[in-house]
Amino acid sequence: MSDALVQIRSLEKTYTRGSGRDAQAVHVLQGLSLQVHKGDFVALMGPSGSGKTTLLNLIAGIDRPTAGELMVDGLDITRLSESELARWRASSVGFIFQLYNLIPVLTAAENVELPLLLTKLGKRERREHVQTALSVVGLADRMGHYPRQLSGGQEQRVAIARAIVTDPLLLLADEPTGDLDKASGEEILELLSRLNREFGKTILMVTHDPHAAERAKRLVRLEKGVLVSDDVKAPASR
Amino acid sequence: MSYLGFVLANLLRNRRRSILTLLSLALSVFLISTLEGLLQHVQNSPRMTGSERRVIVRRRTSLQDRLPEHYVDKVRAIPSVEAATPMLWFGGLYKNTKPENFFGQLSCDPDLFRQIVPEAEVVDPKTGEPRPELYEEFRKDRSGAIAARDLFVKFGWKLGDKITLIGTIYPVNMELTLRAAYHAKQGTDNQTLYYHHKYIDELLGRPGLIGVVSARAKNVDDIPAIIEQVDAKFANSEFETLTETERAFQAGFVQMLGNIEFFLRAIATAVAFAMLMVAANTTAMAARERAHEIAVMKAIGFTPARTLALLLMEATLLCTIGAAVGAFLAWATQGVLEAASQASVMSFFLSGYSLAPWIPVAGIAIGVLVGVASSLGPCWRVAQLPIVVGLRRTA
């Protein structure tokens, strides 16, 4: 048995486009197999429509595969109910979106605290966790700021703090630098690298940007729902 | 941050919309509570309670048709009747035709009036202190009158003042001297002036006709038998009677304004429906606008049930606050409404108006129900929306 955190075998995802006679099956993922090990930092690349985001969504448990096996930390998440899946996501997955997706009416601290409301932690413990997470992303001094009072880079760092505050097994990032300028994007990539390097976080990152992908330890390429390459980079090249 | 804090933060997201929705709900509950309060007061006012031992005998054909005066003696002759008095509604104008000058004007037998309406305490019109000796002044003066103390205060009357009532139903004017004042805590209204029946009978040329007979039973349990006996006594006569309790008589009198119950309930129902629509529209808009955000919350780990609970809590809290404001307004404006009614013909019906405590409570309960009912559909739909679909919705 390998130390694979994510184990995917013959994964398929098919959407139906249109309805009635015009209904058309779209095969987004076709028999994809992949393993992600603990501590990996994987960049998922590929042209638009290649199935990167769909794969990320399936691993995150926010979408369901049509066929195949998808195990995360030994758990077959395809067999979980909606509620079980939600609880699993709350404890095991940190999701980082391209557009940050912070709640605009909550402060940075409250946004980070949001996933902790789903835990049994008390108010004081939640506050400590929030402070730690915001310190890790370098925004301990912006706790009371609302998203509109933060720059794009800062918003994304708050989103990362929200993703790591529950100390999940897996961090999933969908184009985390896609909406940022170069400098801010660089800061985010450095932060993700640090989370992987110093805190041992397993990260899967979807990106179009080859420069961003260079930060990863491993580069997986998809085309038309099929895995076309899987390169583990030598430490010196990162 | 707590769940309640999160819900409040979301409520304040679009302040203008939340405040407008809250105000419309408050106004709706205020209207519903006030209308229901008015209805309850008119149908079951305090002046009607305490009158259980009185019956009113009137002409079966119409209230406007008169009865022979000797009917009073025949009613008195029934063993279970303690006392009976003739009554005639004069309906005259005081000063002018302005509605604020309207008040009840009824004749009575001054020797028996206190026996029939014992709850009307004779008081000093200035201080309101009991002054039973004044009643004798009224009894002795054929053109004397006893009026509610509220009328003394309203019109600035003093004992001994002479007032003229201009006949509208009858072709005579009545000149009366104010001899006494009464105040009833319950049982009878505080908006009426009573005068000697013999006086109006003389003015009208002794026609020997009366409006109604007001009779007091020796025992409340005798009422059904009295009603039966009176109507049986005059059955198949030229002047058949319709006897009913004073409460039923007054309720029927109110009905002469029209089907007021149907009218008020129809307005209240329409207002409640409008309230439901406003709340449903607000919730549907809020839920639709936040489909993306709700998908993000679910991606973070919120279950559909928890998401639904938060959304329902938000809508219900808004409706409950709005309803509470409306219920408070209805409660706080009772006095204002009664005071305003003094300037209209409604003063006769709204005298002593007060909101029954259960009405504001029911208003708040309606708010809660509206909150849940209006938001369940939209919130359920958005909470059940697949996360990937929600995430594709424009943020």
Side-chain angles (χ1 to χ4, degrees):
Chain A
M1 185 68 188
S2 69
D3 63 342
L5 180 66
V6 180
Q7 187 137 15
I8 299 168
R9 282 204 197 104
S10 309
L11 199 68
E12 291 185 15
K13 179 67 186 178
T14 304
Y15 291 114
T16 303
R17 186 183 291 161
S19 59
R21 283 185 178 180
D22 301 328
Q24 195 180 3
V26 180
H27 303 288
V28 186
L29 293 177
Q30 304 181 57
L32 188 139
S33 295
L34 178 72
Q35 281 190 345
V36 178
H37 300 280
K38 281 181 183 163
D40 251 357
F41 185 175
V42 181
L44 281 172
M45 291 195 76
S48 295
S50 59
K52 310 181 295 291
T53 297
T54 300
L55 177 60
L56 201 72
N57 290 343
L58 291 173
I59 296 170
I62 60 175
D63 201 358
R64 289 185 182 275
T66 311
E69 191 181 281
L70 173 48
M71 308 275 283
V72 180
D73 201 27
L75 181 71
D76 184 353
I77 63 167
T78 62
R79 292 179 186 273
L80 299 180
S81 68
E82 277 302 312
S83 298
E84 288 169 337
L85 212 45
R87 282 189 276 274
W88 173 79
R89 279 196 302 273
S91 62
S92 306
V93 178
F95 210 102
I96 302 161
F97 303 90
Q98 180 181 353
L99 295 174
Y100 337 128
N101 286 334
L102 299 178
I103 309 290
V105 292
L106 301 182
T107 62
E110 287 167 340
N111 265 288
V112 176
E113 191 183 357
L114 200 57
L116 295 177
L117 290 179
L118 303 168
T119 67
K120 288 178 180 170
L121 294 176
K123 195 174 177 183
R124 178 187 266 184
E125 288 166 300
R126 291 204 305 265
R127 185 128 191 106
E128 286 169 5
H129 278 66
V130 168
Q131 277 174 337
T132 305
L134 282 170
S135 299
V136 167
V137 300
L139 286 176
D141 57 340
R142 295 283 193 276
M143 289 181 69
H145 286 58
Y146 286 91
R148 63 177 181 278
Q149 297 168 318
L150 300 171
S151 68
Q154 287 173 327
E155 278 195 78
Q156 191 61 296
R157 281 196 273 159
V158 173
I160 292 171
R162 180 178 66 186
I164 62 171
V165 76
T166 54
D167 193 22
L169 290 169
L170 201 54
L171 277 182
L172 302 172
D174 190 2
E175 304 260 13
T177 59
D179 202 49
L180 297 174
D181 59 50
K182 196 175 175 185
S184 300
E186 202 59 44
E187 283 175 14
I188 295 301
L189 290 170
E190 177 50 35
L191 180 57
L192 290 175
S193 293
R194 197 157 69 85
L195 288 171
N196 174 249
R197 202 171 53 237
E198 294 177 17
F199 297 90
K201 290 289 165 201
T202 307
I203 302 174
L204 259 86
M205 176 178 71
V206 165
T207 182
H208 273 108
D209 180 7
H211 176 69
E214 280 176 17
R215 293 280 190 158
K217 292 176 182 171
R218 187 175 157 199
L219 180 58
V220 172
R221 284 184 187 277
L222 297 182
E223 273 183 32
K224 294 180 181 173
V226 176
L227 196 152
V228 292
S229 70
D230 185 354
D231 302 321
V232 178
K233 291 187 276 181
S237 68
R238 296 201 292 268
Chain B
M1 183 180 63
S2 61
Y3 279 120
L4 183 62
F6 184 43
V7 166
L8 286 174
N10 278 320
L11 270 184
L12 296 174
R13 173 187 298 254
N14 190 330
R15 286 178 195 211
R16 185 182 299 171
R17 185 165 66 199
S18 293
I19 289 170
L20 287 174
T21 305
L22 190 143
L23 287 178
S24 68
L25 291 166
L27 187 63
S28 302
V29 169
F30 166 72
L31 279 174
I32 290 171
S33 301
T34 303
L35 289 175
E36 186 61 35
L38 290 174
L39 195 58
Q40 291 295 323
H41 179 75
V42 166
Q43 287 182 335
N44 193 24
S45 70
R47 67 190 156 94
M48 292 181 190
T49 61
S51 60
E52 295 88 353
R53 279 173 64 184
R54 285 196 292 271
V55 295
I56 301 290
V57 183
R58 67 176 174 95
R59 184 90 173 262
R60 178 168 288 279
T61 48
S62 166
L63 186 60
Q64 289 178 346
D65 295 338
R66 306 282 165 252
L67 287 171
E69 195 174 357
H70 64 84
Y71 271 35
V72 181
D73 294 331
K74 291 191 175 177
V75 172
R76 274 180 198 145
I78 295 171
S80 48
V81 169
E82 184 181 309
T85 176
M87 281 189 169
L88 186 73
W89 177 266
F90 185 66
L93 295 177
Y94 175 61
K95 289 184 180 174
N96 49 40
T97 56
K98 285 185 180 172
E100 61 261 38
N101 292 331
F102 172 86
F103 54 87
Q105 300 151 16
L106 282 171
S107 68
C108 69
D109 179 339
D111 293 331
L112 295 167
F113 176 71
R114 294 188 78 186
Q115 200 175 342
I116 293 166
V117 192
E119 66 271 20
E121 189 182 12
V122 180
V123 296
D124 186 291
K126 274 186 186 169
T127 62
E129 293 297 316
R131 282 191 67 188
E133 74 279 8
L134 289 177
Y135 190 79
E136 193 56 22
E137 301 292 318
F138 162 63
R139 203 183 64 77
K140 285 190 300 190
D141 183 356
R142 185 174 284 247
S143 63
I146 179 169
R149 180 175 175 249
D150 288 2
L151 294 177
F152 271 86
V153 173
K154 181 178 175 182
F155 296 117
W157 291 339
K158 296 188 295 295
L159 291 173
D161 280 0
K162 289 188 184 302
I163 62 165
T164 303
L165 300 177
I166 302 157
T168 55
I169 301 172
Y170 306 101
V172 292
N173 295 340
M174 264 206 299
E175 291 202 355
L176 299 166
T177 307
L178 298 170
R179 294 296 181 193
Y182 77 87
H183 183 76
K185 285 185 180 138
Q186 62 171 20
T188 195
D189 70 86
N190 286 302
Q191 292 291 317
T192 299
L193 174 145
Y194 294 91
Y195 52 90
H196 291 222
H197 185 74
K198 282 184 179 163
Y199 179 53
I200 184 68
D201 195 45
E202 279 173 12
L203 282 177
L204 294 174
R206 297 188 183 278
L209 295 173
I210 61 169
V212 297
V213 181
S214 176
R216 182 175 168 89
K218 287 179 180 166
N219 193 305
V220 72
D221 297 333
D222 297 332
I223 293 283
I226 291 174
I227 289 173
E228 203 174 315
Q229 286 172 47
V230 172
D231 288 344
K233 193 182 281 267
F234 303 116
N236 301 315
S237 71
E238 191 183 348
F239 302 96
E240 285 193 311
T241 57
L242 174 67
T243 308
E244 53 198 344
T245 61
E246 187 173 290
R247 176 181 292 200
F249 173 77
Q250 288 182 324
F253 196 64
V254 169
Q255 294 277 322
M256 287 166 71
L257 292 174
N259 193 342
I260 199 165
E261 181 179 358
F262 173 78
F263 184 65
L264 293 182
R265 288 250 152 82
I267 294 174
T269 306
V271 169
F273 187 70
M275 181 165 91
L276 189 72
M277 292 297 104
V278 167
N281 185 48
T282 304
T283 311
M285 281 168 73
R288 197 167 51 239
E289 284 168 7
R290 278 162 46 203
H292 180 91
E293 202 172 290
I294 288 160
V296 171
M297 284 170 59
K298 286 166 67 181
I300 286 171
F302 282 78
T303 59
R306 197 179 292 254
T307 311
L308 176 65
L310 283 170
L311 291 169
L312 283 179
M313 203 167 144
E314 197 178 311
T316 307
L317 188 64
L318 181 68
C319 291
T320 307
I321 294 172
V325 171
F328 173 76
L329 282 176
W331 178 80
T333 55
Q334 295 170 76
V336 177
L337 194 67
E338 195 198 2
S341 76
Q342 296 302 317
S344 76
V345 70
M346 291 305 288
S347 63
F348 187 68
F349 301 107
L350 294 183
S351 168
Y353 167 72
S354 68
L355 205 60
W358 67 267
I359 294 175
V361 174
I364 295 171
I366 288 173
V368 175
L369 281 177
V370 164
V372 174
S374 65
S375 56
L376 199 55
C379 294
W380 173 267
R381 274 193 295 279
V382 80
Q384 297 301 318
L385 199 67
I387 298 173
V388 286
V389 175
L391 288 175
R392 278 200 290 270
R393 296 265 172 97
T394 309

